[in-house]
Amino acid sequence: MAAGAGGPTDPPAEVLREAATIFGLLASEQRLHIVWALSQGESDVSGLAERVGGALPAVSQHLTKLKLAGLVGSRREGRRQIYYVDDADVVAVMRMMIGQLAVRSGEIGTATGRTGTSPY
């Protein structure tokens, strides 16, 4: 609900519910890694399984959940199903968060010799 005149306002419950659902999906390290990988380019399930170090059936189940939520889309290429990110805004928030966490942990300075900026 909105606060009084001139005060801060809160998003509607529906928006908070949707955000909680998306954050809940990305709370899984493997699903977050899948979305991260897809933000860098399209892939089929076997390529994703290899990249994220997961079993093919588990990665496939994660992709189904992400697809149902509208975060990931797919298209058929011959016999293969190709997956891609279907929500650029979620990717932007994810990159910002991961970049900030990397800066805080000092990963940027250690890995690149730079400090205070994110390569993500």
Side-chain angles (χ1 to χ4, degrees):
M1 284 291 174
T9 58
D10 294 332
E14 174 183 310
V15 172
L16 291 171
R17 202 171 9 264
E18 185 177 352
T21 299
I22 290 171
F23 284 125
L25 280 168
L26 296 177
S28 159
E29 185 177 339
Q30 195 163 50
R31 280 194 292 266
L32 185 62
H33 196 174
I34 289 167
V35 174
W36 179 267
L38 290 175
S39 75
Q40 296 176 357
E42 299 175 342
S43 182
D44 64 4
V45 68
S46 60
L48 284 169
E50 185 177 319
R51 179 160 179 187
V52 303
L56 203 63
V59 171
S60 183
Q61 287 180 354
H62 287 308
L63 285 166
T64 297
K65 288 180 182 182
L66 292 167
K67 191 173 175 182
L68 286 171
L71 301 179
V72 167
S74 67
R75 70 175 192 291
R76 188 153 293 286
E77 239 180 49
R79 297 175 71 189
R80 298 179 337 151
Q81 194 78 4
I82 303 298
Y83 293 90
Y84 55 88
V85 170
D86 208 22
D87 192 329
D89 294 332
V90 170
V91 170
V93 170
M94 178 186 68
R95 285 178 182 264
M96 182 179 68
M97 181 184 66
I98 290 173
Q100 287 300 311
L101 292 171
V103 168
R104 283 186 194 173
S105 71
E107 291 294 318
I108 303 307
T110 304
T112 66
R114 299 184 330 236
T115 57
T117 58
S118 169
Y120 306 111

